[in-house]
Amino acid sequence: MVISTTQGFYYLTTMIENLLLPDLVADLPQRTRLQRLVATLRGHFGCGAVALLRLEDAGHDPVLRPLAVDGLVREALGRRFVVSQHPRLAAILAARGITRFEHDSALPDPYDGLVETLGHEALPVHDCVGIRLEIEGRPWGVLTLDALEPGTFGPEVLDALRRGTVAVAASVRVSLLEQELQALRLARAAPSASDAMPARMDDEIVGHSEAIAGLLNELDVVADSGLPVLLLGETGVGKELFAHRLHRHSRRRDKPLVHVNCAALPESLAESELFGHTRGAFSGATTDRAGRIEAAEGGTLFLDEVGELPLSVQAKLLRTLQNGEVQRLGADRPRHVDVRIIAATNRQLRELVREGSFRADLFHRLSVYPVPIPPLRERGNDVLLLAGRFLELNRARLGLRALRLSPDAQEALRRYPWPGNVRELEHVISRAALKALSHGVDRSDIVTLQAALLDLDDERLPSSLSPSADLDDDAAPHARVSGMDGINASLAGATLREAVDACQRAAIQRALAEHGGNWAQAARALGVDASNLHKLARRLDLKPQLPQSGR
């Protein structure tokens, strides 16, 4: 549609205002409001993708974190773009107003290969526009619009976008206001939570699933209580990250967080390491030395793998929990300490208590507030967000232009049960990226990881998604595996729900392909209401998921 500058500004501003007013009344979550904003902009300008990214600085290079995207693959939401590694994003942040990159720009685009296409091709971006957003005179983040066709953003479109930036910034301000109101509500329940230290990128918990959202809300409330917390979960779920969050949101956040890996403590040294010793307490003790508990004075002691503590040490730890005292080896008098205990284990402590290898009284002291952490297989599409995070880390580490997943690789990640959880996923992505390089890919190309490169355990993966099942004997180890060609075979290893979802997903993709990506025409061809088709597409991850209202 060709529009004049005035019409474009008026139409855009009206659309955004119409979007904001109902949201203010409905008190929608921030992510819902921002997702509607980017979807509105993409639909209005007819471009391939729109993304809203927030600028964050947690003690390292500034990072841009996607808050809402439309038209990019789902795992893009999990990526964290270090500004110094992406010259286009750096240029957008450095300039005031609109920054446009010509189709022949030598600067790599951070979204190369990430724009959704009907054929799932790894295509480069050919037309890119970015806007630095400011809140109260300070840079807040960027809005980017990308297209696969050169010339998408002509002079009139740029002018309309320039004028509409004010309305976009207003939408962001509304979302920030809503976020501040949420923080105030939380502060009533946990007064220090609103003053929590920002997370370092390494400490960030990535995920949008209901399981994780509910858990994080629970942790933010209990963080301020000062109670001992016992983190329960399988190996690799990231218990240390959750312990860091508890400390960061507590009143002790300005004091030390001391990490003790109980499984790595030799039994002969465990008591000295935790409680300290005096000079001459044993052979080799030439000076007085404080233990790890005293080192955490005023702060938090994180006992990882607490189930591995020797029984002899458990009795002294119980005294610390009961009386707030430690007694160094060789000392006559105890010392008072003010320490909060957070413990974590992948063991069943109740069973250890029954077996006599863990004290019942210590178990009850540690588990005042037990927190089960869900395994990755129960977190839905968080696996793709986490994969995006690890893809971006490996792209930067290996000096690649772009690193992405093929559709069959995405499906394999969704279906795999992940016995090693997030840690296993990180290793899988890192290993696949290295394998791709060893197969001779060009670092300046868009590198796509196929399912075969993931090297997932075939016995745990449904037979239809086993990479070896899709490769001919003569095929290269990194050959492309089609997710659609094997749809009939895939139903054999799927549950009824998975089989229905696969058929619906294939039917929608086929209808879209036949009608040039037009959702309204595809809905008519499928005999369904257009709004219902959009809802179904979101559930099947063919479109970005809109969060539900918090009302």
Side-chain angles (χ1 to χ4, degrees), residues 219-242:
L219 288 178
D220 291 348
V221 173
V222 76
D224 196 63
S225 68
L227 296 174
V229 176
L230 179 62
L231 301 174
L232 306 168
E234 300 174 5
T235 182
V237 295
K239 293 184 284 291
E240 183 177 354
L241 293 182
F242 292 94

Short mmCIF file of all heavy atoms in Angstrom, two decimals, residues 219-242:
data_model
loop_
_atom_site.label_atom_id
_atom_site.label_comp_id
_atom_site.label_asym_id
_atom_site.label_seq_id
_atom_site.Cartn_x
_atom_site.Cartn_y
_atom_site.Cartn_z
N LEU A 219 10.26 -16.78 44.09
CA LEU A 219 11.59 -16.53 44.63
C LEU A 219 11.77 -15.08 45.04
O LEU A 219 12.40 -14.78 46.07
CB LEU A 219 12.66 -16.91 43.59
CG LEU A 219 12.87 -18.39 43.32
CD1 LEU A 219 13.92 -18.59 42.24
CD2 LEU A 219 13.28 -19.13 44.58
N ASP A 220 11.22 -14.16 44.26
CA ASP A 220 11.36 -12.74 44.59
C ASP A 220 10.68 -12.40 45.92
O ASP A 220 11.11 -11.49 46.63
CB ASP A 220 10.80 -11.87 43.46
CG ASP A 220 11.63 -11.95 42.19
OD1 ASP A 220 12.75 -12.49 42.27
OD2 ASP A 220 11.17 -11.50 41.14
N VAL A 221 9.61 -13.13 46.24
CA VAL A 221 8.92 -12.88 47.51
C VAL A 221 9.69 -13.51 48.66
O VAL A 221 9.92 -12.88 49.70
CB VAL A 221 7.48 -13.42 47.45
CG1 VAL A 221 6.82 -13.32 48.82
CG2 VAL A 221 6.67 -12.65 46.42
N VAL A 222 10.10 -14.77 48.49
CA VAL A 222 10.78 -15.46 49.59
C VAL A 222 12.19 -14.92 49.81
O VAL A 222 12.75 -15.07 50.90
CB VAL A 222 10.82 -16.98 49.32
CG1 VAL A 222 11.86 -17.34 48.26
CG2 VAL A 222 11.11 -17.76 50.60
N ALA A 223 12.77 -14.27 48.80
CA ALA A 223 14.13 -13.76 48.92
C ALA A 223 14.27 -12.82 50.11
O ALA A 223 15.29 -12.82 50.81
CB ALA A 223 14.54 -13.04 47.63
N ASP A 224 13.26 -12.03 50.38
CA ASP A 224 13.33 -11.01 51.42
C ASP A 224 13.01 -11.56 52.81
O ASP A 224 13.18 -10.85 53.80
CB ASP A 224 12.36 -9.87 51.09
CG ASP A 224 12.64 -8.62 51.89
OD1 ASP A 224 13.73 -8.05 51.73
OD2 ASP A 224 11.78 -8.23 52.69
N SER A 225 12.60 -12.81 52.89
CA SER A 225 12.16 -13.35 54.17
C SER A 225 13.32 -13.68 55.09
O SER A 225 13.15 -13.70 56.31
CB SER A 225 11.33 -14.62 53.93
OG SER A 225 12.16 -15.66 53.43
N GLY A 226 14.47 -13.97 54.54
CA GLY A 226 15.61 -14.37 55.35
C GLY A 226 15.59 -15.83 55.76
O GLY A 226 16.52 -16.31 56.42
N LEU A 227 14.55 -16.57 55.38
CA LEU A 227 14.44 -17.98 55.74
C LEU A 227 15.45 -18.82 54.96
O LEU A 227 15.80 -18.48 53.82
CB LEU A 227 13.03 -18.50 55.45
CG LEU A 227 11.88 -17.88 56.25
CD1 LEU A 227 10.55 -18.41 55.72
CD2 LEU A 227 12.03 -18.19 57.73
N PRO A 228 15.88 -19.95 55.53
CA PRO A 228 16.68 -20.90 54.74
C PRO A 228 15.85 -21.44 53.58
O PRO A 228 14.65 -21.70 53.74
CB PRO A 228 17.02 -22.01 55.74
CG PRO A 228 16.83 -21.39 57.09
CD PRO A 228 15.73 -20.39 56.93
N VAL A 229 16.49 -21.60 52.44
CA VAL A 229 15.80 -22.09 51.24
C VAL A 229 16.54 -23.32 50.73
O VAL A 229 17.78 -23.34 50.68
CB VAL A 229 15.75 -21.01 50.14
CG1 VAL A 229 15.13 -21.58 48.86
CG2 VAL A 229 14.96 -19.80 50.62
N LEU A 230 15.80 -24.34 50.37
CA LEU A 230 16.37 -25.56 49.81
C LEU A 230 15.93 -25.68 48.36
O LEU A 230 14.74 -25.85 48.08
CB LEU A 230 15.93 -26.79 50.61
CG LEU A 230 16.44 -28.15 50.11
CD1 LEU A 230 17.97 -28.19 50.17
CD2 LEU A 230 15.85 -29.28 50.94
N LEU A 231 16.87 -25.55 47.43
CA LEU A 231 16.59 -25.66 46.00
C LEU A 231 16.71 -27.11 45.58
O LEU A 231 17.75 -27.74 45.77
CB LEU A 231 17.57 -24.79 45.21
CG LEU A 231 17.57 -23.29 45.54
CD1 LEU A 231 18.68 -22.58 44.79
CD2 LEU A 231 16.21 -22.67 45.21
N LEU A 232 15.63 -27.64 45.02
CA LEU A 232 15.57 -29.05 44.63
C LEU A 232 15.45 -29.14 43.12
O LEU A 232 14.67 -28.42 42.50
CB LEU A 232 14.37 -29.73 45.29
CG LEU A 232 14.28 -29.62 46.81
CD1 LEU A 232 12.92 -30.07 47.30
CD2 LEU A 232 15.38 -30.44 47.46
N GLY A 233 16.21 -30.02 42.51
CA GLY A 233 16.09 -30.18 41.06
C GLY A 233 17.14 -31.11 40.52
O GLY A 233 18.16 -31.40 41.16
N GLU A 234 16.87 -31.58 39.31
CA GLU A 234 17.79 -32.49 38.64
C GLU A 234 19.11 -31.79 38.32
O GLU A 234 19.19 -30.55 38.33
CB GLU A 234 17.15 -33.02 37.35
CG GLU A 234 15.86 -33.78 37.57
CD GLU A 234 15.20 -34.16 36.25
OE1 GLU A 234 15.80 -33.91 35.18
OE2 GLU A 234 14.09 -34.71 36.28
N THR A 235 20.10 -32.57 38.02
CA THR A 235 21.38 -31.98 37.63
C THR A 235 21.22 -31.18 36.36
O THR A 235 20.51 -31.59 35.42
CB THR A 235 22.44 -33.09 37.44
OG1 THR A 235 23.70 -32.48 37.11
CG2 THR A 235 22.05 -34.05 36.32
N GLY A 236 21.85 -30.00 36.32
CA GLY A 236 21.85 -29.19 35.11
C GLY A 236 20.69 -28.22 34.98
O GLY A 236 20.59 -27.52 33.97
N VAL A 237 19.79 -28.12 35.97
CA VAL A 237 18.64 -27.20 35.85
C VAL A 237 19.03 -25.76 36.15
O VAL A 237 18.25 -24.84 35.89
CB VAL A 237 17.46 -27.62 36.75
CG1 VAL A 237 16.89 -28.96 36.33
CG2 VAL A 237 17.87 -27.62 38.22
N GLY A 238 20.23 -25.54 36.71
CA GLY A 238 20.67 -24.18 36.98
C GLY A 238 20.39 -23.71 38.39
O GLY A 238 20.05 -22.55 38.61
N LYS A 239 20.55 -24.61 39.37
CA LYS A 239 20.25 -24.25 40.76
C LYS A 239 21.10 -23.07 41.24
O LYS A 239 20.64 -22.24 42.02
CB LYS A 239 20.44 -25.47 41.66
CG LYS A 239 19.44 -26.60 41.40
CD LYS A 239 19.59 -27.74 42.35
CE LYS A 239 20.79 -28.61 42.04
NZ LYS A 239 20.65 -29.39 40.80
N GLU A 240 22.34 -22.98 40.76
CA GLU A 240 23.20 -21.88 41.18
C GLU A 240 22.64 -20.53 40.73
O GLU A 240 22.71 -19.53 41.45
CB GLU A 240 24.61 -22.07 40.62
CG GLU A 240 25.59 -20.99 41.07
CD GLU A 240 27.00 -21.23 40.57
OE1 GLU A 240 27.25 -22.30 39.97
OE2 GLU A 240 27.85 -20.35 40.76
N LEU A 241 22.07 -20.48 39.51
CA LEU A 241 21.47 -19.23 39.02
C LEU A 241 20.33 -18.77 39.92
O LEU A 241 20.17 -17.58 40.19
CB LEU A 241 20.97 -19.40 37.59
CG LEU A 241 22.02 -19.63 36.50
CD1 LEU A 241 21.33 -19.73 35.15
CD2 LEU A 241 23.03 -18.50 36.49
N PHE A 242 19.52 -19.73 40.37
CA PHE A 242 18.39 -19.38 41.24
C PHE A 242 18.88 -18.95 42.61
O PHE A 242 18.27 -18.07 43.25
CB PHE A 242 17.42 -20.56 41.33
CG PHE A 242 16.72 -20.86 40.03
CD1 PHE A 242 17.22 -21.80 39.15
CD2 PHE A 242 15.57 -20.18 39.68
CE1 PHE A 242 16.59 -22.06 37.95
CE2 PHE A 242 14.92 -20.43 38.48
CZ PHE A 242 15.43 -21.37 37.61
#
